[in-house]
Every structure is written in structure tokens, then in C-alpha cells.
mmCIF file of all heavy atoms in Angstrom:
data_model
loop_
_atom_site.group_PDB
_atom_site.id
_atom_site.type_symbol
_atom_site.label_atom_id
_atom_site.label_comp_id
_atom_site.label_asym_id
_atom_site.label_seq_id
_atom_site.Cartn_x
_atom_site.Cartn_y
_atom_site.Cartn_z
ATOM 1 N N GLY A 753 1.682 -19.041 28.473
ATOM 2 C CA GLY A 753 2.870 -18.367 29.167
ATOM 3 C C GLY A 753 3.642 -19.215 30.085
ATOM 4 O O GLY A 753 4.509 -18.850 30.728
ATOM 5 N N LYS A 754 3.389 -20.555 29.943
ATOM 6 C CA LYS A 754 4.058 -21.578 30.831
ATOM 7 C C LYS A 754 5.534 -21.599 30.329
ATOM 8 O O LYS A 754 6.353 -22.063 31.134
ATOM 9 C CB LYS A 754 3.325 -22.936 30.950
ATOM 10 C CG LYS A 754 2.166 -22.895 31.614
ATOM 11 C CD LYS A 754 1.395 -24.280 31.601
ATOM 12 C CE LYS A 754 0.082 -24.147 32.261
ATOM 13 N NZ LYS A 754 -0.633 -25.365 32.267
ATOM 14 N N HIS A 755 5.698 -21.549 28.964
ATOM 15 C CA HIS A 755 7.038 -21.867 28.454
ATOM 16 C C HIS A 755 7.478 -20.567 27.607
ATOM 17 O O HIS A 755 6.629 -20.030 26.678
ATOM 18 C CB HIS A 755 6.991 -23.002 27.478
ATOM 19 C CG HIS A 755 6.467 -24.238 28.191
ATOM 20 N ND1 HIS A 755 7.210 -24.999 29.013
ATOM 21 C CD2 HIS A 755 5.202 -24.855 28.159
ATOM 22 C CE1 HIS A 755 6.580 -25.944 29.513
ATOM 23 N NE2 HIS A 755 5.327 -25.987 28.948
ATOM 24 N N ALA A 756 8.596 -20.033 27.884
ATOM 25 C CA ALA A 756 9.083 -18.798 27.117
ATOM 26 C C ALA A 756 9.509 -19.130 25.817
ATOM 27 O O ALA A 756 9.915 -20.354 25.524
ATOM 28 C CB ALA A 756 10.245 -18.278 28.115
ATOM 29 N N GLY A 757 9.666 -18.099 24.962
ATOM 30 C CA GLY A 757 10.226 -18.246 23.641
ATOM 31 C C GLY A 757 9.222 -18.769 22.549
ATOM 32 O O GLY A 757 8.096 -18.870 22.860
ATOM 33 N N HIS A 758 9.842 -19.080 21.497
ATOM 34 C CA HIS A 758 9.126 -19.596 20.332
ATOM 35 C C HIS A 758 9.767 -20.913 19.767
ATOM 36 O O HIS A 758 10.973 -21.104 20.009
ATOM 37 C CB HIS A 758 9.102 -18.581 19.164
ATOM 38 C CG HIS A 758 8.439 -17.226 19.584
ATOM 39 N ND1 HIS A 758 9.151 -16.309 20.332
ATOM 40 C CD2 HIS A 758 7.254 -16.857 19.344
ATOM 41 C CE1 HIS A 758 8.339 -15.294 20.569
ATOM 42 N NE2 HIS A 758 7.167 -15.651 19.929
ATOM 43 N N VAL A 759 8.940 -21.646 19.092
ATOM 44 C CA VAL A 759 9.299 -22.838 18.449
ATOM 45 C C VAL A 759 9.310 -22.587 16.868
ATOM 46 O O VAL A 759 8.087 -22.447 16.461
ATOM 47 C CB VAL A 759 8.618 -24.083 18.901
ATOM 48 C CG1 VAL A 759 8.947 -25.379 18.115
ATOM 49 C CG2 VAL A 759 8.784 -24.376 20.419
ATOM 50 N N ALA A 760 10.357 -22.710 16.300
ATOM 51 C CA ALA A 760 10.234 -22.423 14.832
ATOM 52 C C ALA A 760 9.366 -21.331 14.330
ATOM 53 O O ALA A 760 8.399 -21.503 13.555
ATOM 54 C CB ALA A 760 9.686 -23.767 14.125
ATOM 55 N N LYS A 761 9.762 -20.193 14.872
ATOM 56 C CA LYS A 761 8.995 -19.009 14.606
ATOM 57 C C LYS A 761 8.710 -18.725 13.121
ATOM 58 O O LYS A 761 7.700 -18.080 12.885
ATOM 59 C CB LYS A 761 9.749 -17.811 15.383
ATOM 60 C CG LYS A 761 8.880 -16.475 15.460
ATOM 61 C CD LYS A 761 9.643 -15.308 16.213
ATOM 62 C CE LYS A 761 8.716 -14.200 16.315
ATOM 63 N NZ LYS A 761 9.351 -13.256 17.287
ATOM 64 N N SER A 762 9.714 -19.041 12.414
ATOM 65 C CA SER A 762 9.605 -18.796 10.944
ATOM 66 C C SER A 762 8.386 -19.571 10.261
ATOM 67 O O SER A 762 7.968 -19.344 9.210
ATOM 68 C CB SER A 762 10.809 -19.111 10.135
ATOM 69 O OG SER A 762 11.063 -20.480 10.266
ATOM 70 N N GLN A 763 7.877 -20.653 11.039
ATOM 71 C CA GLN A 763 6.728 -21.499 10.600
ATOM 72 C C GLN A 763 5.385 -20.949 10.983
ATOM 73 O O GLN A 763 4.311 -21.640 10.731
ATOM 74 C CB GLN A 763 6.977 -22.864 11.032
ATOM 75 C CG GLN A 763 8.083 -23.494 10.421
ATOM 76 C CD GLN A 763 8.236 -24.916 10.927
ATOM 77 O OE1 GLN A 763 7.507 -25.497 11.681
ATOM 78 N NE2 GLN A 763 9.453 -25.573 10.494
ATOM 79 N N ALA A 764 5.311 -19.792 11.659
ATOM 80 C CA ALA A 764 4.070 -19.103 12.125
ATOM 81 C C ALA A 764 3.179 -19.014 10.843
ATOM 82 O O ALA A 764 3.599 -18.702 9.725
ATOM 83 C CB ALA A 764 4.221 -17.887 12.788
ATOM 84 N N ILE A 765 1.832 -19.146 11.029
ATOM 85 C CA ILE A 765 0.960 -18.915 9.913
ATOM 86 C C ILE A 765 -0.185 -17.894 10.374
ATOM 87 O O ILE A 765 -0.294 -17.503 11.506
ATOM 88 C CB ILE A 765 0.219 -20.246 9.570
ATOM 89 C CG1 ILE A 765 -0.590 -20.868 10.668
ATOM 90 C CG2 ILE A 765 1.237 -21.243 9.093
ATOM 91 C CD1 ILE A 765 -1.429 -22.105 10.382
ATOM 92 N N THR A 766 -0.862 -17.290 9.401
ATOM 93 C CA THR A 766 -1.938 -16.379 9.709
ATOM 94 C C THR A 766 -3.237 -16.958 10.295
ATOM 95 O O THR A 766 -3.356 -18.135 10.091
ATOM 96 C CB THR A 766 -2.301 -15.600 8.328
ATOM 97 O OG1 THR A 766 -2.898 -16.467 7.479
ATOM 98 C CG2 THR A 766 -1.069 -14.998 7.652
ATOM 99 N N LEU A 767 -4.018 -16.160 10.827
ATOM 100 C CA LEU A 767 -5.261 -16.662 11.203
ATOM 101 C C LEU A 767 -6.078 -17.204 10.076
ATOM 102 O O LEU A 767 -6.754 -18.229 10.245
ATOM 103 C CB LEU A 767 -6.033 -15.514 11.886
ATOM 104 C CG LEU A 767 -7.504 -15.787 12.499
ATOM 105 C CD1 LEU A 767 -7.420 -16.829 13.492
ATOM 106 C CD2 LEU A 767 -8.115 -14.550 12.897
ATOM 107 N N GLU A 768 -5.972 -16.562 8.907
ATOM 108 C CA GLU A 768 -6.812 -17.091 7.848
ATOM 109 C C GLU A 768 -6.328 -18.478 7.414
ATOM 110 O O GLU A 768 -7.141 -19.334 6.903
ATOM 111 C CB GLU A 768 -6.701 -16.174 6.628
ATOM 112 C CG GLU A 768 -7.375 -14.920 6.802
ATOM 113 C CD GLU A 768 -6.598 -13.860 7.768
ATOM 114 O OE1 GLU A 768 -5.475 -14.020 8.073
ATOM 115 O OE2 GLU A 768 -7.382 -13.043 8.280
ATOM 116 N N GLN A 769 -5.022 -18.806 7.546
ATOM 117 C CA GLN A 769 -4.529 -20.152 7.322
ATOM 118 C C GLN A 769 -4.941 -21.118 8.382
ATOM 119 O O GLN A 769 -5.051 -22.290 8.111
ATOM 120 C CB GLN A 769 -2.906 -20.083 7.129
ATOM 121 C CG GLN A 769 -2.554 -19.293 5.862
ATOM 122 C CD GLN A 769 -1.070 -19.002 5.948
ATOM 123 O OE1 GLN A 769 -0.561 -18.567 6.869
ATOM 124 N NE2 GLN A 769 -0.347 -19.230 4.799
ATOM 125 N N ALA A 770 -4.841 -20.682 9.655
ATOM 126 C CA ALA A 770 -5.122 -21.563 10.855
ATOM 127 C C ALA A 770 -6.567 -21.890 10.867
ATOM 128 O O ALA A 770 -6.864 -23.038 11.287
ATOM 129 C CB ALA A 770 -4.615 -20.861 12.092
ATOM 130 N N LEU A 771 -7.538 -21.003 10.604
ATOM 131 C CA LEU A 771 -8.814 -21.378 10.882
ATOM 132 C C LEU A 771 -9.411 -22.688 10.180
ATOM 133 O O LEU A 771 -9.972 -23.640 10.924
ATOM 134 C CB LEU A 771 -9.828 -20.143 10.368
ATOM 135 C CG LEU A 771 -9.800 -19.025 11.427
ATOM 136 C CD1 LEU A 771 -10.696 -17.905 10.841
ATOM 137 C CD2 LEU A 771 -10.405 -19.437 12.748
ATOM 138 N N PRO A 772 -9.060 -22.923 8.971
ATOM 139 C CA PRO A 772 -9.563 -24.237 8.341
ATOM 140 C C PRO A 772 -8.930 -25.413 8.943
ATOM 141 O O PRO A 772 -9.588 -26.416 8.966
ATOM 142 C CB PRO A 772 -9.062 -24.021 6.898
ATOM 143 C CG PRO A 772 -8.913 -22.614 6.565
ATOM 144 C CD PRO A 772 -8.480 -22.010 7.925
ATOM 145 N N LEU A 773 -7.798 -25.341 9.418
ATOM 146 C CA LEU A 773 -7.076 -26.493 10.061
ATOM 147 C C LEU A 773 -7.892 -26.921 11.372
ATOM 148 O O LEU A 773 -7.916 -27.988 11.652
ATOM 149 C CB LEU A 773 -5.597 -26.095 10.555
ATOM 150 C CG LEU A 773 -4.653 -25.738 9.289
ATOM 151 C CD1 LEU A 773 -3.429 -25.333 9.938
ATOM 152 C CD2 LEU A 773 -4.549 -26.954 8.455
ATOM 153 N N PHE A 774 -8.461 -25.936 12.027
ATOM 154 C CA PHE A 774 -9.165 -26.230 13.339
ATOM 155 C C PHE A 774 -10.702 -26.315 13.214
ATOM 156 O O PHE A 774 -11.293 -26.476 14.125
ATOM 157 C CB PHE A 774 -8.742 -25.187 14.406
ATOM 158 C CG PHE A 774 -7.382 -25.434 14.803
ATOM 159 C CD1 PHE A 774 -6.255 -24.690 14.322
ATOM 160 C CD2 PHE A 774 -7.092 -26.359 15.794
ATOM 161 C CE1 PHE A 774 -4.994 -25.020 14.823
ATOM 162 C CE2 PHE A 774 -5.759 -26.654 16.242
ATOM 163 C CZ PHE A 774 -4.757 -25.790 15.777
ATOM 164 N N THR A 775 -11.198 -25.941 12.004
ATOM 165 C CA THR A 775 -12.637 -26.003 11.806
ATOM 166 C C THR A 775 -13.028 -26.946 10.776
ATOM 167 O O THR A 775 -13.323 -28.160 11.104
ATOM 168 C CB THR A 775 -13.080 -24.642 11.467
ATOM 169 O OG1 THR A 775 -12.446 -24.038 10.237
ATOM 170 C CG2 THR A 775 -12.902 -23.561 12.648
ATOM 171 N N ILE A 776 -12.892 -26.592 9.531
ATOM 172 C CA ILE A 776 -13.395 -27.453 8.505
ATOM 173 C C ILE A 776 -12.654 -28.849 8.385
ATOM 174 O O ILE A 776 -13.199 -29.877 8.124
ATOM 175 C CB ILE A 776 -13.228 -26.723 7.081
ATOM 176 C CG1 ILE A 776 -14.207 -25.459 7.140
ATOM 177 C CG2 ILE A 776 -13.524 -27.535 5.858
ATOM 178 C CD1 ILE A 776 -13.866 -24.549 5.887
ATOM 179 N N SER A 777 -11.293 -28.821 8.536
ATOM 180 C CA SER A 777 -10.512 -29.952 8.345
ATOM 181 C C SER A 777 -10.808 -30.988 9.570
ATOM 182 O O SER A 777 -10.954 -32.105 9.326
ATOM 183 C CB SER A 777 -9.023 -29.715 8.357
ATOM 184 O OG SER A 777 -8.695 -28.849 7.197
ATOM 185 N N GLY A 778 -10.974 -30.384 10.684
ATOM 186 C CA GLY A 778 -11.271 -31.222 11.855
ATOM 187 C C GLY A 778 -12.688 -31.826 11.719
ATOM 188 O O GLY A 778 -12.921 -33.050 11.969
ATOM 189 N N ALA A 779 -13.710 -31.042 11.320
ATOM 190 C CA ALA A 779 -15.048 -31.474 11.140
ATOM 191 C C ALA A 779 -15.104 -32.557 10.024
ATOM 192 O O ALA A 779 -15.773 -33.584 10.201
ATOM 193 C CB ALA A 779 -15.905 -30.255 10.719
ATOM 194 N N ARG A 780 -14.310 -32.278 8.945
ATOM 195 C CA ARG A 780 -14.416 -33.280 7.739
ATOM 196 C C ARG A 780 -13.849 -34.568 8.293
ATOM 197 O O ARG A 780 -14.338 -35.660 7.959
ATOM 198 C CB ARG A 780 -13.639 -32.737 6.647
ATOM 199 C CG ARG A 780 -13.614 -33.535 5.408
ATOM 200 C CD ARG A 780 -12.779 -32.972 4.166
ATOM 201 N NE ARG A 780 -13.544 -31.657 3.957
ATOM 202 C CZ ARG A 780 -12.866 -30.485 3.651
ATOM 203 N NH1 ARG A 780 -11.520 -30.389 3.783
ATOM 204 N NH2 ARG A 780 -13.489 -29.477 3.354
ATOM 205 N N SER A 781 -12.784 -34.588 9.034
ATOM 206 C CA SER A 781 -12.097 -35.823 9.439
ATOM 207 C C SER A 781 -12.982 -36.677 10.462
ATOM 208 O O SER A 781 -12.997 -37.941 10.445
ATOM 209 C CB SER A 781 -10.746 -35.565 10.118
ATOM 210 O OG SER A 781 -10.942 -34.984 11.369
ATOM 211 N N LEU A 782 -13.961 -35.983 11.204
ATOM 212 C CA LEU A 782 -14.779 -36.576 12.087
ATOM 213 C C LEU A 782 -16.142 -36.828 11.511
ATOM 214 O O LEU A 782 -16.876 -37.598 12.043
ATOM 215 C CB LEU A 782 -14.907 -35.703 13.382
ATOM 216 C CG LEU A 782 -13.654 -35.541 14.210
ATOM 217 C CD1 LEU A 782 -13.946 -34.590 15.307
ATOM 218 C CD2 LEU A 782 -13.220 -36.851 14.880
ATOM 219 N N GLY A 783 -16.340 -36.340 10.361
ATOM 220 C CA GLY A 783 -17.725 -36.410 9.754
ATOM 221 C C GLY A 783 -18.793 -35.689 10.464
ATOM 222 O O GLY A 783 -19.823 -36.046 10.435
ATOM 223 N N GLU A 784 -18.388 -34.623 11.395
ATOM 224 C CA GLU A 784 -19.346 -33.842 12.088
ATOM 225 C C GLU A 784 -19.218 -32.405 11.769
ATOM 226 O O GLU A 784 -18.174 -31.947 11.659
ATOM 227 C CB GLU A 784 -19.106 -33.922 13.590
ATOM 228 C CG GLU A 784 -19.230 -35.454 14.132
ATOM 229 C CD GLU A 784 -20.685 -35.888 14.177
ATOM 230 O OE1 GLU A 784 -21.498 -34.959 14.363
ATOM 231 O OE2 GLU A 784 -20.951 -37.042 14.161
ATOM 232 N N TRP A 785 -20.383 -31.664 11.526
ATOM 233 C CA TRP A 785 -20.242 -30.330 11.049
ATOM 234 C C TRP A 785 -21.130 -29.554 11.917
ATOM 235 O O TRP A 785 -22.325 -29.863 12.079
ATOM 236 C CB TRP A 785 -20.811 -30.080 9.652
ATOM 237 C CG TRP A 785 -19.948 -30.969 8.781
ATOM 238 C CD1 TRP A 785 -20.061 -32.341 8.373
ATOM 239 C CD2 TRP A 785 -18.700 -30.520 7.949
ATOM 240 N NE1 TRP A 785 -19.166 -32.686 7.437
ATOM 241 C CE2 TRP A 785 -18.378 -31.511 7.152
ATOM 242 C CE3 TRP A 785 -18.104 -29.304 7.850
ATOM 243 C CZ2 TRP A 785 -17.373 -31.404 6.220
ATOM 244 C CZ3 TRP A 785 -17.102 -29.192 7.054
ATOM 245 C CH2 TRP A 785 -16.669 -30.192 6.273
ATOM 246 N N ALA A 786 -20.621 -28.400 12.436
ATOM 247 C CA ALA A 786 -21.517 -27.502 13.180
ATOM 248 C C ALA A 786 -21.892 -26.430 12.039
ATOM 249 O O ALA A 786 -21.195 -26.100 11.211
ATOM 250 C CB ALA A 786 -20.728 -26.699 14.230
ATOM 251 N N ASP A 787 -23.245 -25.970 12.179
ATOM 252 C CA ASP A 787 -23.659 -24.890 11.258
ATOM 253 C C ASP A 787 -22.827 -23.680 11.543
ATOM 254 O O ASP A 787 -22.287 -23.009 10.632
ATOM 255 C CB ASP A 787 -25.062 -24.595 11.490
ATOM 256 C CG ASP A 787 -25.906 -25.759 11.155
ATOM 257 O OD1 ASP A 787 -25.553 -26.551 10.338
ATOM 258 O OD2 ASP A 787 -27.084 -25.809 11.705
ATOM 259 N N PHE A 788 -22.698 -23.195 12.778
ATOM 260 C CA PHE A 788 -21.808 -22.154 13.073
ATOM 261 C C PHE A 788 -21.754 -22.011 14.640
ATOM 262 O O PHE A 788 -22.414 -22.593 15.376
ATOM 263 C CB PHE A 788 -22.364 -20.849 12.574
ATOM 264 C CG PHE A 788 -23.692 -20.338 13.067
ATOM 265 C CD1 PHE A 788 -23.754 -19.540 14.247
ATOM 266 C CD2 PHE A 788 -24.771 -20.652 12.323
ATOM 267 C CE1 PHE A 788 -25.033 -19.209 14.620
ATOM 268 C CE2 PHE A 788 -26.052 -20.344 12.851
ATOM 269 C CZ PHE A 788 -26.174 -19.565 13.924
ATOM 270 N N ILE A 789 -20.712 -21.255 15.122
ATOM 271 C CA ILE A 789 -20.649 -20.986 16.596
ATOM 272 C C ILE A 789 -20.603 -19.468 16.775
ATOM 273 O O ILE A 789 -20.443 -18.703 15.852
ATOM 274 C CB ILE A 789 -19.167 -21.456 17.065
ATOM 275 C CG1 ILE A 789 -17.994 -20.867 16.410
ATOM 276 C CG2 ILE A 789 -19.157 -23.060 16.963
ATOM 277 C CD1 ILE A 789 -16.695 -21.081 17.125
ATOM 278 N N THR A 790 -20.959 -19.063 17.945
ATOM 279 C CA THR A 790 -21.136 -17.637 18.316
ATOM 280 C C THR A 790 -19.961 -17.363 19.365
ATOM 281 O O THR A 790 -19.728 -18.055 20.311
ATOM 282 C CB THR A 790 -22.541 -17.338 18.994
ATOM 283 O OG1 THR A 790 -23.623 -17.763 18.157
ATOM 284 C CG2 THR A 790 -22.513 -15.821 19.226
ATOM 285 N N LEU A 791 -19.216 -16.369 19.059
ATOM 286 C CA LEU A 791 -18.136 -15.888 19.821
ATOM 287 C C LEU A 791 -18.455 -14.581 20.447
ATOM 288 O O LEU A 791 -19.320 -13.810 19.940
ATOM 289 C CB LEU A 791 -16.791 -15.832 18.964
ATOM 290 C CG LEU A 791 -16.438 -17.122 18.223
ATOM 291 C CD1 LEU A 791 -15.220 -16.713 17.358
ATOM 292 C CD2 LEU A 791 -16.124 -18.162 19.239
ATOM 293 N N GLU A 792 -17.732 -14.204 21.467
ATOM 294 C CA GLU A 792 -17.818 -12.969 22.076
ATOM 295 C C GLU A 792 -17.620 -11.720 21.141
ATOM 296 O O GLU A 792 -18.315 -10.814 21.290
ATOM 297 C CB GLU A 792 -16.904 -12.886 23.335
ATOM 298 C CG GLU A 792 -16.975 -11.669 24.248
ATOM 299 C CD GLU A 792 -16.065 -11.699 25.290
ATOM 300 O OE1 GLU A 792 -15.921 -12.705 25.988
ATOM 301 O OE2 GLU A 792 -15.295 -10.661 25.517
ATOM 302 N N ARG A 793 -16.649 -11.912 20.334
ATOM 303 C CA ARG A 793 -16.314 -10.822 19.330
ATOM 304 C C ARG A 793 -15.506 -11.565 18.170
ATOM 305 O O ARG A 793 -15.042 -12.695 18.340
ATOM 306 C CB ARG A 793 -15.584 -9.739 19.948
ATOM 307 C CG ARG A 793 -14.235 -9.949 20.576
ATOM 308 C CD ARG A 793 -13.697 -8.605 21.084
ATOM 309 N NE ARG A 793 -12.267 -8.611 21.202
ATOM 310 C CZ ARG A 793 -11.721 -9.238 22.276
ATOM 311 N NH1 ARG A 793 -12.267 -9.718 23.288
ATOM 312 N NH2 ARG A 793 -10.291 -9.220 22.424
ATOM 313 N N PRO A 794 -15.440 -10.854 17.145
ATOM 314 C CA PRO A 794 -14.702 -11.445 15.992
ATOM 315 C C PRO A 794 -13.223 -11.855 16.288
ATOM 316 O O PRO A 794 -12.524 -11.040 16.956
ATOM 317 C CB PRO A 794 -14.668 -10.347 14.887
ATOM 318 C CG PRO A 794 -15.780 -9.488 15.172
ATOM 319 C CD PRO A 794 -15.919 -9.592 16.718
ATOM 320 N N GLN A 795 -12.825 -12.987 15.851
ATOM 321 C CA GLN A 795 -11.428 -13.462 16.011
ATOM 322 C C GLN A 795 -10.435 -12.449 15.426
ATOM 323 O O GLN A 795 -9.276 -12.350 16.049
ATOM 324 C CB GLN A 795 -11.119 -14.769 15.586
ATOM 325 C CG GLN A 795 -11.881 -15.851 16.197
ATOM 326 C CD GLN A 795 -11.740 -17.180 15.512
ATOM 327 O OE1 GLN A 795 -11.990 -17.208 14.217
ATOM 328 N NE2 GLN A 795 -11.755 -18.169 16.315
ATOM 329 N N SER A 796 -10.776 -11.739 14.426
ATOM 330 C CA SER A 796 -9.868 -10.824 13.830
ATOM 331 C C SER A 796 -9.546 -9.565 14.871
ATOM 332 O O SER A 796 -8.561 -8.879 14.636
ATOM 333 C CB SER A 796 -10.401 -10.310 12.521
ATOM 334 O OG SER A 796 -11.615 -9.570 12.761
ATOM 335 N N GLU A 797 -10.391 -9.354 15.757
ATOM 336 C CA GLU A 797 -10.017 -8.325 16.826
ATOM 337 C C GLU A 797 -9.401 -8.989 17.974
ATOM 338 O O GLU A 797 -9.190 -7.969 18.988
ATOM 339 C CB GLU A 797 -11.491 -7.820 17.246
ATOM 340 C CG GLU A 797 -12.249 -7.025 16.118
ATOM 341 C CD GLU A 797 -13.579 -6.566 16.596
ATOM 342 O OE1 GLU A 797 -13.963 -6.695 17.750
ATOM 343 O OE2 GLU A 797 -14.320 -6.028 15.682
ATOM 344 N N MET A 798 -9.039 -10.220 18.079
ATOM 345 C CA MET A 798 -8.397 -10.781 19.212
ATOM 346 C C MET A 798 -6.812 -11.016 19.088
ATOM 347 O O MET A 798 -6.489 -11.114 17.874
ATOM 348 C CB MET A 798 -9.063 -12.187 19.517
ATOM 349 C CG MET A 798 -10.531 -12.181 19.921
ATOM 350 S SD MET A 798 -11.123 -13.821 20.145
ATOM 351 C CE MET A 798 -12.810 -13.661 20.313
#
């Protein structure tokens, strides 16, 4: 909320597209893998 508006709004992606970018792809590049994480509730509900 620090900055108003959107940047290249037409380039927004879905949660299903974003998850691999921040999970599998990052882990693969570092060679580190977590088995899984526990969240407060499913991301699909957030």
C-alpha cells in the first residue's frame, strides 16, 4: 500500500502461474528443497 496504482497491469499472472516461480524455480536455482511448508490457510482462500 506504499505506492498507489499498478505497473503493467496487463502482465498480471494467476496464483497457479506465480507459485512455481517462487517455490520450485527458486529451490532449483539454489539446489535447496523443502519437503513442504504449513500455512495458516490455503493460498487459494487469501
Side-chain angles (χ1 to χ4, degrees):
K754 293 180 184 177
H755 306 282
H758 297 81
V759 174
K761 191 173 183 175
S762 65
Q763 294 178 3
I765 61 175
T766 66
L767 177 60
E768 291 75 21
Q769 293 169 315
L771 282 176
L773 298 174
F774 288 97
T775 57
I776 295 168
S777 297
R780 186 177 295 133
S781 70
L782 294 172
E784 297 288 334
W785 301 86
D787 294 335
F788 63 89
I789 62 171
T790 304
L791 304 175
E792 185 177 311
R793 64 184 201 276
Q795 291 172 322
S796 60
E797 296 175 5
M798 296 180 187

